[in-house]
Amino acid sequence: MMYHKIPDETVRRLPIYLRGLMVSADQGHEHISSQALADFVGVQSWQIRKDFSYFGDFGTRGVGYPIGKLAREIRRILRLDVIRRAALVGVGDLGSALLAYPGFGGYGLEIVAAFDIDPEKVGRLINGIRVEDSSQVDTLGERGISLAIVAVPRTEAQSTIDRLAEAGVRGILNFAPCKVAVPGRVKVITLDIAMELARLPYYMPAEGSSEHPPGGQQELAAGSIVT
Amino acid sequence: MMYHKIPDETVRRLPIYLRGLMVSADQGHEHISSQALADFVGVQSWQIRKDFSYFGDFGTRGVGYPIGKLAREIRRILRLDVIRRAALVGVGDLGSALLAYPGFGGYGLEIVAAFDIDPEKVGRLINGIRVEDSSQVDTLGERGISLAIVAVPRTEAQSTIDRLAEAGVRGILNFAPCKVAVPGRVKVITLDIAMELARLPYYMPAEGSSEHPPGGQQELAAGSIVT
DNA sequence: CCATGTGAAGGTATTCACAGCC
DNA sequence: GGCTGTGAATACCTTCACATGG
């Protein structure tokens, strides 16, 4: 195999594969074919083989891919091979739900700090994490936390993110429905939940008539923005 | 302008534009140039012009685009021009947060029903909505609700969605981290929050060294799956 | 002069088909 | 026989540069 830059679209799919590999490993398998993984995650088998071919010859012909080894390699590429600690800013309904969300662990991600501006919430213990006052985000640098989740109202998003960037945070998952500006050393993924739902009617078959464009495509990209 | 099929990537951006147009309208503007909208939503101006050109000549040279008219047209294309009522299944932490989430209204979407399997939760009133027993999802068809949000554990996702599909639901936003199978008449967008966060370390600049591939791209697609 | 709209060029990702290997 | 890995073909999207019109 030659050295290739891994295409962005492939990077986007790697977490999907990783998710599938983890479940398959749970079921006790040690190898999986591109076809089996394809059925499992909803991507075509040749797409999977092509994607994997960008970073090495992992498969064995006639057998498939070794699940453990492949998962390890994907984790390495995505830089999930070290446990990463994350902070949450904004302990409202969504923020609280994220604190309780069990899914991050599988990717080596862990929320270890939470901040809110509301004195009512500061000091409360949620899922084992003590809510701190928002002014304390400045301490994230010293604490070695470089990942943050922002779940504050739209009007507060930019100022919150400015502060996080200043504190040394380098990756932000933003749930506020707006574009935010950040220095080049910081990456932001904006995830606007309502916007995702808003894409749905377009792809739904029409109720009464059948005058609608959308064809039968199976996979589509979503609307997050990475800055 | 000739008739063109609207590219999927353009459709993916339309809600972003709509979001920007709404905010701009709130600020009292009546027209906006592709450049101003570009600065606002984080997409290049020529990309915006190209996108809009797929569905008509809306702009006036030297002036820009009429915000109201354009927003109305985007709504029509995305089929957000009628109020759509949605149901929520799974009133856990995330589900409760979604019930309280104010952002759906801007897109003409409204959660009007909630279901859970837990007898403790059934009957409770959350944000003005009475939680019903999950068995009641069968009534969604008669109630004219064709959109659903699924926020149940992964193990329950497939059975939940089977039932929704049977009840006549045709669009589903799925928060369970797995692929789900549905009949062709149903569209599903899967939004795996942990997976989005998992993409972040890849794009973060390295801590100590600087041996990492990711370039300085500004926009990237995210990982939702539409079936 | 300003800002749109669009052919044409360029780049990237998907899809195919099959050679190569276990 | 089954499954991987990949060059080549295709399709799609982005980007540019500029003609066009208010």
Side-chain angles (χ1 to χ4, degrees):
Chain A
M1 154 259 185
M2 288 296 298
Y3 179 81
H4 284 104
K5 174 190 173 300
I6 300 176
D8 279 331
E9 287 300 298
T10 296
V11 172
R12 193 175 61 75
R13 283 187 293 263
L14 288 182
I16 301 179
Y17 299 147
L18 185 54
R19 190 175 76 185
L21 291 172
M22 287 190 291
V23 177
S24 189
D26 276 355
Q27 295 175 355
H29 297 108
E30 297 206 331
H31 291 265
I32 191 167
S33 71
S34 58
Q35 186 56 61
L37 185 57
D39 295 341
F40 204 68
V41 302
V43 174
Q44 298 294 335
S45 62
W46 39 257
Q47 179 75 81
I48 292 178
R49 290 200 300 277
K50 184 68 125 180
D51 283 341
F52 290 173
S53 78
Y54 288 122
F55 55 87
D57 300 346
F58 280 84
T60 308
R61 292 163 204 242
V63 178
Y65 297 90
I67 292 177
K69 199 172 164 191
L70 185 56
R72 230 172 355 260
E73 180 64 9
I74 292 177
R75 281 211 165 79
R76 195 187 61 73
I77 293 169
L78 293 175
R79 315 173 114 212
L80 297 172
D81 48 352
V82 292
I83 304 280
R84 286 182 190 271
R85 304 187 310 147
L88 171 77
V89 188
V91 190
D93 291 300
L94 182 58
S96 304
L98 292 172
L99 275 178
Y101 191 68
F104 297 120
Y107 297 102
L109 304 166
E110 191 189 2
I111 300 180
V112 298
F115 303 91
D116 203 290
I117 204 175
D118 180 358
E120 284 275 311
K121 288 173 186 155
V122 173
R124 275 174 50 191
L125 200 66
I126 301 184
N127 257 71
I129 294 168
R130 180 81 58 188
V131 179
E132 305 170 52
D133 186 87
S134 290
S135 62
Q136 298 301 305
V137 299
D138 302 335
T139 66
L140 286 175
E142 313 150 17
R143 295 202 249 170
I145 296 174
S146 57
L147 216 52
I149 301 172
V150 173
V152 302
R154 188 181 65 212
T155 49
E156 310 303 320
Q158 183 64 61
S159 60
T160 298
I161 286 174
D162 288 344
R163 209 182 231 165
L164 286 167
E166 192 140 352
V169 165
R170 297 194 327 278
I172 294 172
L173 181 58
N174 170 41
F175 283 90
C178 59
K179 180 211 166 205
V180 287
V182 283
R185 67 173 184 284
V186 181
K187 288 284 177 184
V188 179
I189 295 183
T190 293
L191 213 176
D192 184 338
I193 293 174
M195 218 171 70
E196 296 297 324
L197 185 58
R199 285 181 338 121
L200 210 33
Y202 179 82
Y203 291 105
M204 280 163 54
E207 191 130 22
S209 58
S210 58
E211 30 64 26
H212 203 53
Q217 68 277 82
Q218 296 288 358
E219 308 284 335
L220 284 174
S224 307
I225 295 169
V226 179
T227 310
Chain B
M1 154 258 188
M2 288 296 298
Y3 179 81
H4 283 103
K5 175 192 172 302
I6 300 176
D8 279 331
E9 288 300 301
T10 296
V11 172
R12 191 174 64 74
R13 283 186 294 264
L14 288 182
I16 301 179
Y17 300 147
L18 186 54
R19 190 173 75 185
L21 291 173
M22 288 190 289
V23 177
S24 189
D26 277 354
Q27 295 175 355
H29 297 107
E30 296 206 333
H31 291 264
I32 191 167
S33 70
S34 58
Q35 186 56 60
L37 186 56
D39 295 341
F40 203 68
V41 301
V43 174
Q44 299 293 334
S45 62
W46 38 257
Q47 180 75 82
I48 291 178
R49 291 200 301 277
K50 184 67 130 180
D51 283 341
F52 289 174
S53 79
Y54 288 121
F55 54 89
D57 301 347
F58 280 83
T60 306
R61 293 163 206 243
V63 178
Y65 297 89
I67 293 178
K69 198 173 165 190
L70 184 56
R72 227 169 3 256
E73 180 64 9
I74 292 178
R75 281 212 166 79
R76 196 187 62 73
I77 292 168
L78 293 175
R79 314 175 114 210
L80 297 171
D81 48 352
V82 292
I83 305 280
R84 287 184 188 272
R85 304 187 310 147
L88 170 77
V89 188
V91 190
D93 291 299
L94 181 59
S96 305
L98 293 172
L99 275 178
Y101 191 68
F104 296 120
Y107 298 102
L109 304 165
E110 192 190 0
I111 300 180
V112 297
F115 302 91
D116 203 290
I117 204 174
D118 180 357
E120 284 275 313
K121 287 173 188 156
V122 173
R124 276 175 50 192
L125 200 66
I126 302 184
N127 258 72
I129 294 170
R130 180 83 56 188
V131 178
E132 305 170 52
D133 186 86
S134 290
S135 63
Q136 297 300 305
V137 299
D138 301 335
T139 67
L140 286 175
E142 314 151 15
R143 294 202 249 171
I145 297 174
S146 57
L147 216 53
I149 301 172
V150 173
V152 303
R154 188 181 65 214
T155 49
E156 310 303 322
Q158 183 64 60
S159 60
T160 298
I161 285 173
D162 287 345
R163 211 182 232 165
L164 286 167
E166 191 137 356
V169 165
R170 298 194 327 277
I172 295 171
L173 180 59
N174 170 42
F175 284 90
C178 60
K179 181 213 164 203
V180 288
V182 283
R185 69 174 183 282
V186 182
K187 288 284 177 184
V188 180
I189 295 183
T190 292
L191 213 175
D192 184 338
I193 293 174
M195 218 172 69
E196 297 296 324
L197 186 58
R199 285 181 338 123
L200 212 32
Y202 179 83
Y203 292 104
M204 280 163 54
E207 191 130 23
S209 59
S210 58
E211 28 64 24
H212 203 54
Q217 67 277 82
Q218 295 288 359
E219 309 282 335
L220 283 174
S224 307
I225 296 169
V226 179
T227 308

